[in-house]
Amino acid sequence: MDSLNEQQLAAVRHGTGEAASDKRALLVIAGAGSGKTSTLAHRVANLIAHGADPQRMMLLTFSRRAAQEMERRVGGVLQKSLGLAPTQMLPSLPWSGTFHSIGARLLREYAPRIGLEDSFTIQDRADSEDLMGMVRHDIGLSDTKNRFPQKGTCLGIYSRVLNTRLPLDEVLHTIYPWCAQWESELKRLFGAYVEAKQQQNLLDYDDLLLFWAEMMAEPSLAAEVGARFDHLLVDEYQDTNRLQCEIILAMKPEGRGVTVVGDDAQSIYSFRGATVRNILDFPNQYAAAGDGASAVRVVALERNYRSTQAILDASNAVIAQARERHAKNLWTDKQSSQRAQLLLVPDEAGQARWVADQVLRQREAGTRLKSQAVLFRTSTHSAALELELARRNIPFVKFGGLKFLEAAHVKDILAVLRFAQNPRGRLAGFRVTQLIAGIGQASATRLLDAMAQAADPLQALQQFEAPPQARQEWAGFVQLYTQLREPAIAWPADLDLARRWYVPQLERIHEDAQVRKLDVDQLVQLASGYASRERFLTELTLDPPQSTSDQAGVPHLDEDYLILSTIHSAKGQEWKAVYVLNVVDGCIPSDMATGSTEEVEEERRLLYVAMTRAKEQLHLIVPHRFYVTQQAAGGDRHMYAGRSRFISEASMKHFDQITWPQADAINPSAASGQAAVLQVRLRARAAWR
């Protein structure tokens, strides 16, 4: 632990060694760039080194990759501290994963005791939208004379209500005011949606947290599950929602063994249902001891290993104005004479030209394009810059693209497996059966109705009479489905069977079948890493690959490229030079996020996150005039604005303010220009004498 600083050591050693008598919960306020991941990894390793059983530790992260990285780091620390040989087996953390994946495991295990069938399948967001759309149509809400919210909006409202634990009417009036008139219809829709999921033995993403929280609301079950784990550690606690907070408190009501790590100043995901209140209120959520001492120990990591002190001074000044926060003041040993820059430009075109100029200037000075990033509040803010970069032949990458599970061919092959796993899943069955030539909506509905009413769904499928034009293809599918329902079939042989049946359908349906087959083959390769079909479907739904395959195209022969990213996507990243676009009121804060004090405060944190991504150079750009698409009458137009309200007069001492272009650059004959202006003024005054 020689590499850790004093604050990190305090967090790592809490409750162990000489401090073993301290049983308080631990809150680690980890400032930006303060070595949060390293601190948490060392804490887990230190607990194991002091006798903690890795099998009795639950580590909750926000991505599968974060959990795997944490396990790798813990192993590395243990290898060094315990003197283990590289060939020795390192302890694993079997209960390390995302909230949703751990929730799925527990629900599967406790299903019989909480009224679930343990064969439930989990549907992704896209499938949840489709099911919401089907239910919306079935109960007649697609036939209304007035505009009723689309299926995606309906699912968003439903999800927000569950994750925030707020009443429907409050969510409608504060987040979805244009839908408030449909409150009673939405209640009916959500009830029918829940009923449809129950009938089909389906769970969606929100159910994984909701049912876990409901299970923990039963004291005996909460005590039983909580007793299985001596330590409960949560990363990125500022991004949790109320359901996740309820789960933590219910599992460990006294706080013993609880460690949460996060930074209230980086809580920027309220649109996902996250609330900064969880981390702000954490010190008061556990009852104080009898002597009045706090039941929570708070350790703040303030030493920053990323940015220069000049950048930290500017960032600290911005977040210091927050209405409520955990006190911390980031500092570093990295000194620099170059302060953060506040650049004033005439308009967005000027902003684009200046960024392109500066990016190339830094490249010539030795800073690669990959080490530079342009950040913005909303994806559309980079439009002018993208045109300028393309004009100058400056390569760039902007995050985005088709998600793996949104590709039709991937959804098809997974639907085959889901339908075999859960014969009552109408959405998967509806999709699969219509892949067969000659089977349409009416035939598929007739089949699924028969299977839903039958005691043995497999028998109902085998006895179903397909339309004459589909009988040959139907016979092949019945054979496949019967094989997939065989308990003795060994995984992943069932996926290979599904692939062999599906490829001819793929070739018939899609012109680019050869490209799409790459993804199907990739799924078969992935399958060997999972113990069962159920585990494969669950894990792939909860943590899918990010993109699909494609044919090899023209090779990208450039050695470098610039990074363009929204601020939300940039969280957790760092670059040598960072340029933040449109630091004006109306953009940061967004004019769509100033309806409440809480929204404005989150926008302040968003700017803080953007600023703390910079290691050596930070440029905040303020265009005096910028282009907006107005929702109200008046259409698209330019607007004028001053710098963001978050850059106060008091904080200006931490910035170098620069105006671009300079007056002499606009008009080289500055003296004659000034004389002309004076002459015009004299004439204007003389007219009234």
Side-chain angles (χ1 to χ4, degrees), residues 153-304:
T153 303
C154 293
L155 183 66
I157 296 170
Y158 172 82
S159 181
R160 179 66 71 109
V161 169
L162 291 190
N163 286 293
T164 61
R165 294 298 224 191
L166 295 174
L168 174 60
D169 63 338
E170 184 175 338
V171 169
L172 289 176
H173 284 91
T174 57
I175 310 297
Y176 300 90
W178 65 94
C179 303
Q181 62 176 312
W182 300 105
E183 181 180 351
S184 59
E185 289 84 356
L186 286 168
K187 279 186 178 179
R188 184 158 60 93
L189 171 62
F190 296 157
Y193 173 67
V194 171
E195 183 71 23
K197 287 189 295 180
Q198 292 177 353
Q199 290 175 353
Q200 300 177 46
N201 197 23
L202 296 173
L203 269 64
D204 62 22
Y205 279 164
D206 298 316
D207 290 332
L208 298 176
L209 297 183
L210 177 64
F211 290 6
W212 187 5
E214 293 296 338
M215 184 170 78
M216 294 299 94
E218 173 58 41
S220 59
L221 275 176
E224 180 180 332
V225 175
R228 293 175 58 174
F229 302 99
D230 298 324
H231 295 278
L232 181 56
L233 304 100
V234 187
D235 194 13
E236 303 285 8
Y237 193 67
Q238 78 278 352
D239 295 330
T240 54
N241 59 38
R242 290 191 180 181
L243 273 177
Q244 292 161 327
C245 178
E246 288 178 17
I247 290 168
I248 302 302
L249 293 175
M251 286 182 63
K252 295 292 181 183
E254 297 177 357
R256 184 169 181 173
V258 174
T259 298
V260 300
V261 181
D263 183 7
D264 56 289
Q266 298 186 69
S267 178
I268 58 174
Y269 294 114
S270 65
F271 64 91
R272 297 180 186 170
T275 173
V276 71
R277 297 296 344 156
N278 285 353
I279 193 166
L280 288 176
D281 297 340
F282 187 81
N284 303 318
Q285 287 177 331
Y286 291 104
D291 58 1
S294 172
V296 175
R297 182 183 181 186
V298 180
V299 175
L301 306 184
E302 297 178 300
R303 182 175 180 179
N304 178 284

Side-chain angles (χ1 to χ4, degrees), residues 4 15 18 56 58 109 122 152 183 225 242 287 303 309 323 369 372 376 441 533 541 552 600 608 613 621 634:
L4 303 182
E18 296 179 359
R56 295 176 58 80
M58 181 182 287
E109 185 175 337
I122 302 168
E183 181 180 351
V225 175
R242 290 191 180 181
R303 182 175 180 179
Q309 188 62 53
R323 292 178 69 251
L369 294 180
Q372 303 180 63
F376 30 86
Q441 290 188 8
R533 181 168 68 197
T541 302
V600 173
Y608 174 79
R613 301 309 95 198
I621 310 172

Side-chain angles (χ1 to χ4, degrees), residues 524-584:
V524 175
Q525 294 178 20
L526 284 172
S528 60
Y530 296 87
S532 66
R533 181 168 68 197
E534 172 267 312
R535 191 66 181 267
F536 173 72
L537 289 172
T538 298
E539 298 296 344
L540 198 66
T541 302
L542 296 178
D543 189 43
Q546 290 301 302
S547 59
T548 59
S549 300
D550 201 352
Q551 289 178 321
V554 178
H556 186 67
L557 297 179
D558 204 297
E559 78 285 357
D560 211 357
Y561 50 82
L562 181 67
I563 305 296
L564 272 58
S565 173
T566 62
I567 301 173
H568 285 101
S569 297
K571 187 170 177 291
Q573 306 296 316
E574 60 182 40
W575 296 275
K576 282 187 177 181
V578 168
Y579 312 87
V580 186
L581 303 184
N582 292 353
V583 186
V584 297

